Amino acid sequence: MKIKKYFVIIYVLVSNLFYAQEAEIVYKSIYFDVPDVKIDKDIKTKVSREINDMKYLLRYTKKQSFFEGLPHVPHDKFMAKMAIGVTQSHVEWYQYPNEKQSYHNKKIKDSIYRVKYEERMQKWDLHNEKKEIDGYVCYKATIDYTHPYTENQFIIEAWYTPEIPVPYGPVGYGGLPGLILQLKHSHVIYIAQEITLNPIGGIKPIKDLKPGRLIDADEKRKLQQKARKVTED
């Protein structure tokens, strides 16, 4: 009984040590076809080439995380802009585990907003399936998702590892009992490529989320639609 008690204490201490650490995770992205979604073959070829060359950086502390796209040399500037939109790396993502929400800033006309996403941190179904990614044992979690513009339905699939027990992941997804090492969202798979725990000298400081009125994704879309309308004189 004492051995079991000591094991639990050691496990909690180790878990807390991991949770308190800082880290930097580099992800790469891979384009994949979604069944029943038709895309022009030429556009698909060019956009997928951009997506397959893109990388991203997740930095985190105990209190927050910050996810951003890394610079890359585009093959085609217009297609690269499309790829940035598809990968959702046109904004910088913040996660605050105590709030169980993720955020990004959005400028609409002359105003800056803070856009919140609860569903990316809370609506997971956990599964018993597991696999190994880069030496870490990972478990599967999913979210049923309907695209707000096309109404296409997808299953968002995450593979998280309890061996790094922090609730973070790419493009604002998280809230799981471990770091997301692989995420499948729409036409993109994000895969952790480099994991640096407790980097020497610490991580680059995370800049603050800009202040602004707090809105959700639905209100953001309505504000964007309103901003696009042309008013007749």
Side-chain angles (χ1 to χ4, degrees), residues 2-44:
K2 286 185 177 180
I3 293 176
K4 183 177 180 180
K5 182 178 180 181
Y6 293 148
F7 175 80
V8 171
I9 293 172
I10 292 171
Y11 177 80
V12 170
L13 289 173
V14 171
S15 295
N16 288 338
L17 176 62
F18 269 118
Y19 190 81
Q21 72 188 356
E22 298 180 335
E24 293 183 344
I25 317 297
V26 176
Y27 293 84
K28 64 178 181 179
S29 55
I30 299 173
Y31 178 90
F32 77 99
D33 285 319
V34 176
D36 303 323
V37 177
K38 294 182 180 180
I39 301 176
D40 179 84
K41 187 176 180 180
D42 184 56
I43 292 176
K44 181 175 70 173

Side-chain angles (χ1 to χ4, degrees), residues 29-213:
S29 55
I30 299 173
Y31 178 90
F32 77 99
D33 285 319
V34 176
D36 303 323
V37 177
K38 294 182 180 180
I39 301 176
D40 179 84
K41 187 176 180 180
D42 184 56
I43 292 176
K44 181 175 70 173
T45 299
K46 291 178 179 178
V47 170
S48 64
R49 182 171 61 173
E50 300 293 343
I51 289 174
N52 293 344
D53 282 350
M54 294 169 68
K55 293 186 179 182
Y56 318 83
L57 179 63
L58 174 71
R59 286 177 275 147
Y60 72 72
T61 65
K62 182 178 180 180
K63 295 182 179 180
Q64 63 179 329
S65 74
F66 179 79
F67 180 86
E68 63 181 335
L70 296 176
H72 85 290
V73 179
H75 300 278
D76 180 289
K77 290 184 179 180
F78 179 74
M79 293 299 168
K81 288 182 179 179
M82 289 185 64
I84 288 171
V86 172
T87 59
Q88 303 180 67
S89 56
H90 58 296
V91 293
E92 298 164 334
W93 291 89
Y94 294 78
Q95 290 172 298
Y96 301 98
N98 291 338
E99 300 177 26
K100 294 184 178 179
Q101 294 187 118
S102 56
Y103 301 84
H104 68 72
N105 283 124
K106 182 65 179 179
K107 184 176 182 180
I108 303 174
K109 284 194 170 182
D110 296 324
S111 299
I112 298 292
Y113 297 90
R114 291 175 298 138
V115 188
K116 65 176 181 177
Y117 295 80
E118 294 179 356
E119 69 280 1
R120 298 191 178 212
M121 297 281 284
Q122 298 183 26
K123 295 188 176 181
W124 294 102
D125 292 320
L126 304 183
H127 304 270
N128 291 326
E129 295 177 54
K130 64 180 180 180
K131 67 177 181 179
E132 189 172 297
I133 299 175
D134 198 23
Y136 294 94
V137 176
C138 297
Y139 294 85
K140 183 179 177 180
T142 58
I143 296 176
D144 292 327
Y145 173 74
T146 301
H147 195 282
Y149 297 114
T150 65
E151 296 187 353
N152 291 324
Q153 295 182 333
F154 306 98
I155 294 177
I156 297 168
E157 180 182 288
W159 291 88
Y160 66 94
T161 177
E163 295 176 40
I164 308 178
V166 294
Y168 303 129
V171 288
Y173 284 96
L176 290 164
L179 178 68
I180 296 175
L181 297 189
Q182 181 174 309
L183 178 76
K184 182 190 289 185
H185 181 286
S186 186
H187 291 276
V188 185
I189 300 174
Y190 306 86
I191 304 174
Q193 191 175 36
E194 299 174 24
I195 301 172
T196 306
L197 304 176
N198 288 324
I200 297 174
I203 66 170
K204 180 181 176 181
I206 296 175
K207 61 184 180 181
D208 293 331
L209 184 70
K210 294 178 181 178
R213 183 162 72 86

